[in-house]
Amino acid sequence: MLLEQITSAGIVGCGGAGFPTAAKYNTKAEYFIINAAECEPLLKTDHYVMNHYADECIQAIAAVGKLLEAEHIVIATKEHYTKEINALETAIQAQNAPISIFKMNNFYPAGDEQIMVFEVTGRTVPPGGIPIEVGCVISNISTMLNIYQAQHGKNVTHKLLTITGAVKEPKILEVPIGTSFDDCLALAGGATIDDFMFINGGPMMGKTGTQEDFSQQVVTKTTSGIIIMEKRDFIYELLEKEIPQMINKARSSCIQCRLCTELCPRYQIGHPIHPHRVMRHLTITEVPEDIDDDPIWKEALLCCECGICEAIACPMNLLPRQVNKYVKQRLAEKGIRYQKNDQPLTPSLMREYQQVPPVKILLKDGLKQYADLKVENLQKYETPRVSIPLKMHIGAPCEPIIQIGDQVKAGDLIGRKPEKALGADIHASIDGTVTAVAASITIERRDN
């Protein structure tokens, strides 16, 4: 019953790339771990959910734990989130729920699912593997709120997100999926600077864009935040068009200091990933076609793209993460995947001494000035027009089941995932008339 409700509601993970939740829960697990770390600084959406929807989340967590037949149901959060922990503990006690809270140190990336598994269980997910291989399933705390709503007949139509940075009124927004970023910025009082860049998501793992691209962006099921910021060289280098220059700089400037490897969170839990070796390999590779089925190149496939190597580790201002992403793309084009093996995994003895405080990662991209902004107030908004992408998360694009001119209501099914494909259905987020059906479905609110 619960799995059917999750499927019908079109729920995907709120905390990452949007893996379809029903597919993740079609298993049994020893541990059901809730990611409540919100480890990317500046984002406050999960904080808001824990503080204001603790009862709803605990009810959903207990239900999913029962579905998975989990022996241990654990909420993993940071020990200094005292207000949020109090709210969760109060809800747990009120419901007599079989849920415990695991309090982590304040480091980045505590919210990486494989790092969280290691913290909570002491187990290392195999390189190239997923948490269920060591008996764990992980979901984001905000996903739990969507599951609670699905239990009460509500499909995924709206999104909670943080808008912060160089805006007049940083806040939490609750808007229909498909709402334009322009509308979101207006709700935050507009930008405080004339010429800006933005990050769709968190400051480390979000996607960077320019002001010219901003108006083309819309809120999706996986939009966790919008950060408005000043133009800076480091952020500008993260744009896709700068990749060729970045590669050339890496070839000529890497001093093989190993810091990118030593501070790599996946290396620290025992994975055979060495970013400095991938960087060195660039010096003997002139064209993308030379990136092939080579053991060192394939180490890049283990990169979680957290960005510590760029923001903290490299003394030469190089971008090892971007190199890894580039290599991963080239390998994917050739159908080359990481081959698992049974080699022993030895976590780094220095791991606990090399953990990176989240505020430190804000220095290089010029975002530290926004670290102490209060982002607590919620504003709900119903836009007159939405543009809902048919592909907005992991899996196959949905197939539209409506036509131009159709009248729809919020919650109506408008796109269905292909049969037997990985994906999640999508639903109308406002009442209105369908005015366009292409890569996105446009709905315009009808006058009452």
Side-chain angles (χ1 to χ4, degrees):
M1 178 66 174
L2 179 57
L3 204 59
E4 293 173 358
Q5 292 171 328
I6 292 170
T7 301
S8 178
I11 298 175
V12 301
C14 291
F19 192 87
T21 303
K24 179 181 287 190
Y25 292 169
N26 190 23
T27 187
K28 304 302 177 186
E30 180 183 352
Y31 279 86
F32 180 42
I33 302 172
I34 304 304
N35 183 345
E38 193 149 50
C39 68
E40 288 242 30
L42 305 187
L43 300 187
K44 302 298 181 182
T45 310
D46 288 350
H47 289 261
Y48 187 89
V49 169
M50 287 185 277
N51 286 322
H52 295 273
Y53 295 103
D55 288 325
E56 292 87 343
C57 288
I58 294 302
Q59 180 175 316
I61 291 167
V64 175
K66 183 177 181 180
L67 173 70
L68 297 172
E69 300 180 9
E71 297 176 29
H72 309 282
I73 307 175
V74 182
I75 299 174
T77 190
K78 295 184 178 180
E79 62 181 354
H80 74 285
Y81 292 171
T82 54
K83 181 180 178 182
E84 291 77 9
I85 290 172
N86 287 337
L88 293 169
E89 288 180 335
T90 299
I92 290 170
Q93 293 169 5
Q95 298 180 36
N96 194 27
I99 300 169
S100 62
I101 295 179
F102 184 89
K103 301 174 185 179
M104 298 185 293
N105 293 332
N106 184 27
F107 70 93
Y108 175 85
D112 175 87
E113 66 175 16
Q114 297 197 17
I115 302 304
M116 186 166 283
V117 166
F118 187 86
E119 288 284 318
V120 174
T121 71
R123 302 171 183 175
T124 296
V125 177
I130 56 177
I132 193 60
E133 295 180 48
V134 291
C136 301
V137 168
I138 297 187
S139 282
N140 180 265
I141 187 72
S142 291
T143 306
M144 294 299 105
L145 179 58
N146 281 342
I147 291 174
Y148 172 85
Q149 292 170 341
Q151 290 177 296
H152 293 77
K154 187 177 187 305
N155 298 325
V156 178
T157 60
H158 286 62
K159 182 66 179 174
L160 286 165
L161 62 104
T162 304
I163 182 163
T164 189
V167 298
K168 294 177 182 177
E169 302 170 27
K171 60 182 63 173
I172 306 294
L173 299 179
E174 183 178 324
V175 298
I177 290 169
T179 299
S180 71
F181 275 22
D182 281 335
D183 282 355
C184 294
L185 183 56
L187 293 170
T192 58
I193 53 179
D194 293 329
D195 193 13
F196 64 81
M197 297 184 72
F198 73 95
I199 302 174
N200 181 355
M204 291 297 284
M205 300 186 74
K207 186 175 181 180
T208 304
T210 64
Q211 189 166 353
E212 292 73 24
D213 304 323
F214 188 77
S215 296
Q216 308 303 315
Q217 309 298 311
V218 299
V219 174
T220 71
K221 292 181 184 181
T222 60
T223 304
S224 56
I226 303 170
I227 301 171
I228 305 298
M229 59 180 299
E230 295 83 356
K231 286 186 174 180
R232 289 178 63 90
D233 289 344
F234 172 64
I235 295 297
Y236 193 81
E237 283 185 320
L238 301 183
L239 296 176
E240 187 172 339
K241 65 183 179 181
E242 297 299 311
I243 294 298
Q245 292 86 339
M246 176 270 296
I247 293 291
N248 289 332
K249 184 178 178 182
R251 285 194 179 104
S252 62
S253 302
C254 179
I255 59 174
Q256 289 293 290
C257 66
R258 283 187 58 98
L259 285 175
C260 56
T261 293
E262 296 296 334
L263 295 184
C264 172
R266 294 290 176 89
Y267 170 81
Q268 290 176 344
I269 63 172
H271 284 193
I273 175 173
H274 307 83
H276 76 283
R277 298 206 304 185
V278 177
M279 298 289 280
R280 185 172 64 213
H281 239 39
L282 284 177
T283 63
I284 59 174
T285 305
E286 294 298 328
V287 293
E289 289 73 19
D290 291 335
I291 295 176
D292 54 16
D293 193 355
D294 176 288
I296 292 180
W297 285 135
K298 289 195 291 187
E299 287 189 4
L301 296 171
L302 302 178
C303 175
C304 67
E305 301 180 19
C306 70
I308 283 179
C309 52
E310 297 172 352
I312 298 294
C314 184
M316 302 301 291
N317 291 320
L318 303 178
L319 306 177
R321 170 178 57 169
Q322 304 306 319
V323 170
N324 280 340
K325 289 172 65 175
Y326 175 79
V327 172
K328 288 162 76 172
Q329 291 167 1
R330 302 290 80 79
L331 293 177
E333 291 168 0
K334 297 181 178 182
I336 298 173
R337 299 186 177 185
Y338 188 83
Q339 300 299 314
K340 300 179 186 178
N341 56 55
D342 295 327
Q343 71 179 78
L345 304 174
T346 304
S348 169
L349 296 176
M350 296 297 294
R351 179 177 180 271
E352 66 176 297
Y353 306 106
Q354 295 175 327
Q355 292 178 342
V356 176
V359 70
K360 296 291 186 183
I361 65 178
L362 298 175
L363 295 173
K364 195 169 184 178
D365 52 20
L367 291 170
K368 188 177 183 299
Q369 60 183 308
Y370 306 119
D372 296 325
L373 291 178
K374 296 294 183 183
V375 188
E376 300 175 337
N377 296 327
L378 173 72
Q379 182 170 349
K380 297 183 179 182
Y381 174 69
E382 293 297 329
T383 179
R385 180 180 184 274
V386 292
S387 181
I388 304 174
L390 287 168
K391 181 173 177 56
M392 63 177 100
H393 42 71
I394 285 178
C398 284
E399 297 170 345
I401 63 168
I402 42 77
Q403 298 177 342
I404 293 174
D406 285 353
Q407 303 294 311
V408 297
K409 293 184 177 180
D412 286 352
L413 184 68
I414 59 173
R416 182 178 287 118
K417 78 175 185 68
E419 188 176 356
K420 297 183 179 179
L422 181 67
D425 294 342
I426 61 173
H427 303 81
S429 56
I430 64 173
D431 299 346
T433 304
V434 177
T435 59
V437 179
S440 297
I441 296 174
T442 302
I443 304 171
E444 297 189 22
R445 194 180 297 278
R446 54 177 176 260
D447 295 330
N448 295 325

